[in-house]
């Protein structure tokens, strides 16, 4: 990896000496906020994303940053924060973050090595996942298998042009379910949501798991580009109905984003990136009448999330 330039997105200040580290070379881009990082992730791909959040409250909100699933799907994500506790580290690892480092240990050479190792680990994990085309938690195809489906379909579209779309559906409510009912119940909820998505689509469409809080749907055949909007709205409405888990009614909120072929791109990664970014920026709908902790930060509410 030393011979190849590592594309690194840094959220926050760039540590002195990082660019000159022997663990590089690094091509570093910097931004000031998570919102700006989400825009960068929509427009480009990176080998790693290094996020520095010295404010403990900001670090606690990172697990539900709308663009986190997209970032972890494409890059090795590392967090530097003041004094990360075990619960935060566990939540971030479950979301796909590769490493969490205390700020006191975040020297330039230590960070450079951590980035290098995180990228290596992620590549090993991707190779392992590729050996298993199915997400074991839900029984759905995983992201690698989804991208293979998309690339196969795109090859057909080169010979037979026709509109197609890739949807990403983000879920808010899984963290609330895990906090109130436990990890096993949250897993059961996610599996039931996967079944509901699969039942709402045609047999020719592909539903996949693309993150701890995200699913994707490949619409292989659509009559017009606007048909994707109707399907996305239908899936969000479907997920808005409460799910019974462990004898309790659990409600989630969902947001959808669309990557359209050929308007948004002609390769699988670009379409998925566009759909992820659109879903992260959309307002989640659902949870009407249910009291839930707001997973984007802030106090609990009992209001309709659509308001």
């Amino acid at each position: 990896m030393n011979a190849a330039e590592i594309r690194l997105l840094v959220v926050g200040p760039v540590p002195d000496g990082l660019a000159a580290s022997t663990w590089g070379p690094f091509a570093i881009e910097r931004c000031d906020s998570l919102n700006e990082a989400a825009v960068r992730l929509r427009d480009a791909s990176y080998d790693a994303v290094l996020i520095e959040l010295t404010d403990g409250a900001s670090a606690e909100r990172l697990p539900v940053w709308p663009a986190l699933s997209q970032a972890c799907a494409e890059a090795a994500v590392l967090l530097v924060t003041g004094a990360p506790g075990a619960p935060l580290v566990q939540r971030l690892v479950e979301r796909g973050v590769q490493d969490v480092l205390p700020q006191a240990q975040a020297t330039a050479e230590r960070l450079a090595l951590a980035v290098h190792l995180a990228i290596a680990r992620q590549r090993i994990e991707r190779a392992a996942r590729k050996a298993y085309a199915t997400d074991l938690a839900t029984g759905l195809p995983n992201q690698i298998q989804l991208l293979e489906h998309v690339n196969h379909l795109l090859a057909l579209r080169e010979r037979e042009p026709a509109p197609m779309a890739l949807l990403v559906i983000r879920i808010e409510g899984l963290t609330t379910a895990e906090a109130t009912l436990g990890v096993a119940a949250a897993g059961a909820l996610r599996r039931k949501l996967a079944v509901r998505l699969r039942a709402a689509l045609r047999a020719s469409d592909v539903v996949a798991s693309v993150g701890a809080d995200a699913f994707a749907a490949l619409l292989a055949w659509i009559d017009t580009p606007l048909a994707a909007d109707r399907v996305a709205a239908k899936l969000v409405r479907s997920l808005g109905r409460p799910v019974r888990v462990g004898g309790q009614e659990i409600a989630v909120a969902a947001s959808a984003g669309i990557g359209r072929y050929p308007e948004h791109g002609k390769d699988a990664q670009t379409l998925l990136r566009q759909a992820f970014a659109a879903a992260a920026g959309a307002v989640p709908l659902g949870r009407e009448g249910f009291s839930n902790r707001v997973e984007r930060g802030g106090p609990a509410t009992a209001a309709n999330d659509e308001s």
Side-chain angles (χ1 to χ4, degrees), residues 15 38 56 97 113 136 138 151 179 207 220 246 269:
V97 172
L113 173 59
L136 300 180
T138 60
N151 283 327
V207 181
Q269 287 285 4

Side-chain angles (χ1 to χ4, degrees), residues 61-62 64-70 170 172 213 276 279-281 296:
R61 288 195 292 270
L62 182 63
V64 291
W65 175 40
L68 184 60
S69 290
Q70 177 189 2
R170 285 195 65 253
E172 289 194 4
D213 62 351
F276 257 124
R296 294 192 177 205

Side-chain angles (χ1 to χ4, degrees), residues 91-107:
R91 290 177 65 201
L92 288 170
V93 170
E94 289 171 352
R95 295 295 184 269
V97 172
Q98 284 287 336
D99 205 352
V100 182
L101 299 98
Q103 188 180 23
Q105 301 176 15
T107 63

Side-chain angles (χ1 to χ4, degrees), residues 178-285:
E178 183 175 320
T180 56
L181 300 178
V183 175
L189 172 60
R190 190 163 171 264
R191 287 191 295 274
K192 290 190 175 187
L193 294 174
V195 170
R196 188 174 289 181
L197 282 175
R198 179 65 272 174
L201 292 167
R202 302 165 300 186
S204 60
D205 299 325
V206 177
V207 181
S209 172
V210 292
D213 62 351
F215 298 99
L218 171 60
L219 308 183
W221 308 98
I222 54 177
D223 296 328
T224 67
L226 289 178
D229 296 83
R230 294 194 294 271
V231 174
K234 173 185 175 182
L235 295 180
V236 169
R237 288 196 303 271
S238 173
L239 295 178
R241 301 196 309 271
V243 181
R244 179 167 289 276
V245 176
Q248 297 192 40
E249 293 281 302
I250 303 296
V252 301
S255 60
I258 305 174
R260 307 177 192 275
Y261 171 86
E263 295 94 322
H264 293 149
K266 296 185 177 181
D267 66 90
Q269 287 285 4
T270 299
L271 292 174
L272 184 61
R273 188 182 303 121
Q274 170 66 33
F276 257 124
V283 176
L285 303 178

Side-chain angles (χ1 to χ4, degrees), residues 144-166:
I144 293 173
Q145 185 72 359
L146 171 69
L147 293 176
E148 290 180 359
H149 280 295
V150 176
N151 283 327
H152 177 71
L153 188 58
L154 289 172
L156 295 177
R157 288 292 177 269
E158 290 295 322
R159 299 192 297 270
E160 302 175 7
M164 58 171 277
L166 183 60

